[in-house]
Amino acid sequence: MIALQSITFRFEEMAMSFDAVFPPASFTAVIGPSGGGKSTLLNLIAGFETPLSGRVLIGGADVTALPPDRRPVSMIFQDHNVFAHLDVARNVALGIAPTLKLAPEDRRRVEAALADVGLSALASRKPGEISGGERQRVAIARALVRERPVLLLDEPFAALGPALRRDMLDLVTSMQKARGMTVVMVTHQPEDARHAASHTAYLENGRILALRPTAELLAATDLPGLAAYLGDWRSGSL
């Protein structure tokens, strides 16, 4: 479980305030207009930003004062941050040891993660020799070997086409269910939320206005900003 309790933060001229509980072992999509604070929300959970006040709790523990590397969190960005000079296996191994000095058990974890994401046959290839979707799988595998209970995704599949994006969402969903992870994903595609997320949060102007089961949230009529945000998508898709 992730709980944000009376969190306040300011970015440029925007004052943000977050109160929310993300259910344990759930997949929550975060949608809303650009510039509303979605990425900042993830950064506060991960520890890349420090709130002015309030608390961040993960699994019941207060992590507000902990740096990112001491929080039980992995994060994948739109720029998947694979390193061109390292092969796929070593890119994944960075999730365990930045020095790439691995014990035998660590190597088995890397091999297992590569198998989970379907990259075993590409372990010795460099990122320039594989596709964009495969590079995203490398980033997912690197997050998996960290074995953290929380996975944050900041529009990681935005550059992919619809079919490949759906494949990546299915992969994350299967990993989330198999490992019981709590996943929070920022997306500008409401279709991503409908396809993969058990819950969806609508964020606007630095506030989470609603966090509900996905079908309920996407059909809501009590959130004027959500109706404007979804526009023709809702009338044509639900």
Side-chain angles (χ1 to χ4, degrees), residues 20 41 79 81 89 113 125 129-130 155 158 164 175 178 206 218-220 230:
L41 172 71
D79 180 359
N81 291 330
R125 295 195 184 181
E129 300 172 324
I130 61 178
E155 296 189 76
L164 186 53
M175 296 297 99
L218 293 178
L230 294 176

Side-chain angles (χ1 to χ4, degrees), residues 2 17 34 36 38 42 66 100 156 159 168-169 175 193 212 219-220 227:
I2 303 168
S17 178
S34 296
K38 297 186 295 298
L42 296 192
L66 294 182
L100 294 176
M168 294 297 102
L169 289 169
M175 296 297 99
R212 304 171 187 172

Side-chain angles (χ1 to χ4, degrees), residues 201-213:
Y202 176 66
L203 192 154
E204 178 182 288
N205 295 325
R207 286 170 172 74
I208 297 174
L209 300 187
L211 196 169
R212 304 171 187 172

Side-chain angles (χ1 to χ4, degrees), residues 25 48 53 61 70 105 131 190:
F48 297 122
S53 63
R70 293 185 57 197
E105 176 57 30
S131 70

Side-chain angles (χ1 to χ4, degrees), residues 146-166:
R146 288 169 54 81
E147 298 181 344
R148 304 293 174 88
V150 173
L151 177 62
L152 307 178
L153 306 167
D154 194 359
E155 296 189 76
F157 312 130
L160 304 180
L164 186 53
R165 192 171 71 243
R166 195 173 302 113

Side-chain angles (χ1 to χ4, degrees), residues 1-5 7 20-25 41-49 54-75 146-152 180-184:
M1 180 187 72
I2 303 168
L4 305 178
Q5 299 181 342
I7 292 291
V21 174
F22 298 88
L41 172 71
L42 296 192
N43 288 337
L44 287 164
I45 296 171
F48 297 122
E49 300 285 4
R55 300 197 304 164
V56 179
L57 282 76
I58 299 178
D62 188 343
V63 301
T64 313
L66 294 182
D69 63 327
R70 293 185 57 197
R71 297 192 185 196
V73 172
S74 293
M75 191 164 178
R146 288 169 54 81
E147 298 181 344
R148 304 293 174 88
V150 173
L151 177 62
L152 307 178
M181 294 186 297
T182 301
V183 174
V184 182

Side-chain angles (χ1 to χ4, degrees), residues 190 226-238:
L226 174 65
Y229 172 75
L230 294 176
D232 292 340
W233 180 88
R234 179 154 66 180
S235 62
S237 301
L238 295 178

